[in-house]
Amino acid sequence: MGKKIAIIATDFLEQFIENMITELDMGFQYHIFTYKKFEDIREIYKKIGPEYDGILASGSFPAHMIHLYYPEENRPIGCFNTDDTAMYRLLLKLLQENRKLDFSRVYADIMDLFGGNLTAFVEGRETMPDLTILSNETFTLERMQKLEEEQYEKHLNLWKEGKTDLSITRFSSIVKRLKEQGVNVYFPYPGQQYVQNICERLLSDIEKRELEERQPCVIVVRLLGQENSVSYLRELDSNYIRLESMMMEMFGNGITEFSLHRYHYGMEILATKKDVLKITENLSRDGLFAELKKRKTGWNFCIGYGFGAGIAQARLNALNACHEAELKKNTSYVVTEKEELIGPLGVEATETFMVDNQSYRDIKSKLSPITVSKVMSALEASAEKEITAQELAFRLGVTKRSANRFLSTLEREEILKVAYKKRTTSRGRPESVFVRKEK
């Protein structure tokens, strides 16, 4: 099924855009929402439901208004402006109509707004201003609300005072009004290739966003306790059963795709980045943590969120994040796919900090630094700060043979040592249990 695009444009441009999109036939569905003034965009935006994958605006200014009114909007927004080709095409047309055209008597608002000069542009000494990103400091909401009217008045006054022979405006919302006042005004329509490039970029951004949202995420919830008695372990087991029931209830109400697993290191939830960003309000506050606290279970617990290119990386990052949360007690952390640590999130967290996960970079080994970091992180994330080859293989998503090689290498380099051996199955040899060697 094709993507669905919401197009925001003035009624002046509606037919032009419809003809252009029809000719391009790029396979996406669209609906054009028209406005008369920039301030109308605030209400028009409310009509753009979640079924739209992206937004295409008829210029940087209306796109900027969306960001100013709705900074939380994270769908890709594309916009087509006036590029060099569009302006040269219009100027060539004007010169064909009037070979004696004096460019010093032409007011082009798009050049004037950014300190440019039309004559210098015609002579090749300047290019069109870059409208890709508009500064929130320069183009504030208050200024944007006045900008159209200011430009309308300027075009009109220059014309009435006899200072211009014609006007070129990029504000399609004022074209009709200026023409009604008798102003000789022109609009530089973008070319087909330019519009196609903008649409292709928007579709690419939508695809990229969807891929990122489907990126795997692992959440590890670990119940904490100090006792190691049989009664405590039974109670812990019972608590994890209760936790699983709670997780099913909470996630079942808000997440379409998830799975729960109980492992020796805690409860693991497999979800997507999109869902986790929703739970954590874009990594600013942990809704899951808050919900568990609200239920007044009396548990001490920690939560680790891990993003990754694959489930193995996401799991390891979640374990690292959970380990960090355990050290801080009753809180939650995130480790991203870029190995960045974010947190603590917690119930009362109002801000986050980010640091590079540079742990273990001082260890000299034949293994790559990132492999050393992963092995040591997996070991430190375990409850007893020990690990077997089987456990390492599971946590890193590698074969047991590779895990054995990593551990043996670090043992030979006197970074790890075998603390004891334990039997994990009824058959076969006992497995070596590795711990970090004290310096």
Side-chain angles (χ1 to χ4, degrees):
M1 184 177 177
K3 305 303 178 190
K4 194 169 184 179
I5 309 296
I7 301 177
I8 298 179
T10 58
D11 51 3
F12 173 78
L13 283 176
E14 183 177 10
Q15 192 59 55
F16 166 79
I17 292 173
E18 189 165 344
N19 293 340
M20 181 71 77
I21 299 298
T22 301
E23 288 178 20
L24 289 173
D25 190 22
M26 299 181 68
F28 61 81
Q29 302 177 56
Y30 69 94
H31 181 82
I32 301 176
F33 298 85
T34 60
Y35 69 92
K36 294 187 181 298
K37 294 184 177 181
F38 285 159
E39 60 189 34
D40 299 339
I41 292 173
R42 185 171 195 170
E43 293 303 314
I44 286 173
Y45 172 86
K46 295 177 181 178
K47 301 176 184 178
I48 302 174
E51 70 273 18
Y52 290 95
D53 302 297
I55 300 171
L56 179 63
S58 60
S60 289
F61 290 123
H64 186 57
M65 290 299 285
I66 296 173
H67 289 302
L68 291 173
Y69 280 129
Y70 301 98
E72 71 278 4
E73 174 58 70
N74 57 10
R75 281 175 293 192
I77 301 177
C79 57
F80 50 86
N81 295 295
T82 297
D83 61 340
D84 287 17
T85 304
M87 185 63 88
Y88 279 128
R89 186 169 51 247
L90 174 59
L91 295 177
L92 180 59
K93 175 187 175 183
L94 295 173
L95 282 170
Q96 287 175 332
E97 294 174 355
N98 180 8
R99 296 285 182 176
K100 296 181 180 180
L101 180 62
D102 181 0
F103 288 107
S104 66
R105 291 182 55 77
V106 176
Y107 176 60
D109 52 30
I110 201 65
M111 300 294 295
D112 184 74
L113 270 171
F114 292 88
N117 182 279
L118 184 60
T119 301
F121 173 78
V122 172
E123 294 173 354
R125 293 184 284 111
E126 286 188 15
T127 59
M128 288 296 297
D130 183 8
L131 303 179
T132 307
I133 300 176
L134 298 178
S135 166
N136 287 356
E137 289 73 29
T138 303
F139 292 95
T140 62
L141 180 58
E142 184 180 8
R143 185 184 179 193
M144 291 298 297
Q145 290 171 333
K146 298 176 180 177
L147 197 56
E148 285 168 307
E149 199 59 33
E150 287 176 356
Q151 286 305 310
Y152 169 76
E153 293 293 338
K154 189 162 187 177
H155 280 282
L156 185 58
N157 291 335
L158 288 171
W159 176 260
K160 286 183 174 180
E161 293 167 6
K163 295 180 180 179
T164 55
D165 295 325
L166 63 87
S167 284
I168 298 174
T169 182
R170 190 58 184 80
F171 292 84
S172 59
S173 55
I174 66 174
V175 174
K176 287 183 178 179
R177 293 170 62 198
L178 289 172
K179 286 186 175 182
E180 288 170 357
Q181 293 294 325
V183 179
N184 188 18
V185 62
Y186 293 84
F187 183 86
Y189 292 93
Q192 188 179 74
Q193 186 59 55
Y194 174 71
V195 174
Q196 180 176 337
N197 291 342
I198 296 300
C199 290
E200 287 175 347
R201 191 179 309 152
L202 176 60
L203 292 172
S204 176
D205 288 343
I206 291 171
E207 187 67 29
K208 181 180 178 182
R209 176 175 178 260
E210 289 178 348
L211 287 172
E212 288 177 347
E213 287 180 341
R214 293 196 298 269
Q215 181 179 320
C217 178
V218 172
I219 309 168
V220 173
V221 182
R222 181 181 295 161
L223 302 182
L224 305 176
Q226 297 179 343
E227 298 179 40
N228 201 26
S229 64
V230 174
S231 60
Y232 168 73
L233 293 175
R234 286 174 181 167
E235 183 182 351
L236 185 65
D237 221 36
S238 174
N239 288 341
Y240 269 115
I241 292 172
R242 286 179 61 199
L243 176 63
E244 182 174 3
S245 178
M246 290 180 189
M247 294 294 100
M248 288 295 291
E249 180 185 341
M250 284 187 272
F251 286 108
N253 290 331
I255 295 181
T256 53
E257 295 182 12
F258 72 96
S259 62
L260 290 172
H261 304 275
R262 165 77 192 281
Y263 294 111
H264 62 279
Y265 51 78
M267 182 67 67
E268 179 182 285
I269 302 103
L270 297 181
T272 64
K273 186 174 184 177
K274 178 181 180 180
D275 289 323
V276 168
L277 291 176
K278 181 179 178 181
I279 293 168
T280 62
E281 297 178 15
N282 288 321
L283 307 185
S284 64
R285 179 180 177 276
D286 190 351
L288 174 59
F289 188 100
E291 184 64 28
L292 286 175
K293 277 290 185 183
K294 190 169 70 175
R295 303 212 173 201
K296 297 181 179 179
T297 59
W299 300 334
N300 289 322
F301 60 91
C302 57
I303 303 176
Y305 295 91
F307 298 144
I311 292 177
Q313 184 193 13
R315 176 179 288 122
L316 178 61
N317 286 344
L319 289 167
N320 288 340
C322 195
H323 176 60
E324 187 70 25
E326 185 177 356
L327 293 175
K328 301 297 189 297
K329 306 296 182 186
N330 284 341
T331 186
S332 56
Y333 276 81
V334 179
V335 173
T336 71
E337 63 273 24
K338 296 179 181 179
E339 306 297 330
E340 295 168 324
L341 178 69
I342 305 175
L345 302 184
V347 182
E348 302 299 331
T350 56
E351 61 181 6
T352 64
F353 65 87
M354 301 177 67
V355 296
D356 288 335
N357 188 16
Q358 298 289 330
S359 304
Y360 319 116
R361 295 296 170 89
D362 57 331
I363 294 177
K364 304 299 181 184
S365 172
K366 291 181 180 179
L367 300 175
S368 69
I370 193 167
T371 299
V372 172
S373 180
K374 287 182 176 180
V375 172
M376 299 304 293
S377 295
L379 186 148
E380 292 294 330
S382 64
E384 303 298 328
K385 303 296 183 291
E386 59 185 35
I387 200 164
T388 66
Q390 185 67 45
E391 291 167 346
L392 181 64
F394 173 75
R395 293 187 182 183
L396 299 190
V398 298
T399 64
K400 186 177 179 182
R401 182 176 180 180
S402 295
N404 262 318
R405 180 172 61 83
F406 296 159
L407 294 171
S408 298
T409 300
L410 293 174
E411 182 189 15
R412 287 196 302 272
E413 294 170 343
E414 297 187 339
I415 297 164
L416 301 181
K417 68 177 182 179
V418 176
Y420 62 96
K421 293 181 181 289
K422 70 176 181 180
R423 190 177 294 278
T424 56
T425 61
S426 58
R427 298 182 179 181
R429 299 178 181 177
E431 278 202 87
S432 297
V433 179
F434 291 83
V435 297
R436 188 163 187 176
K437 189 172 183 178
E438 297 179 1
K439 294 182 179 179

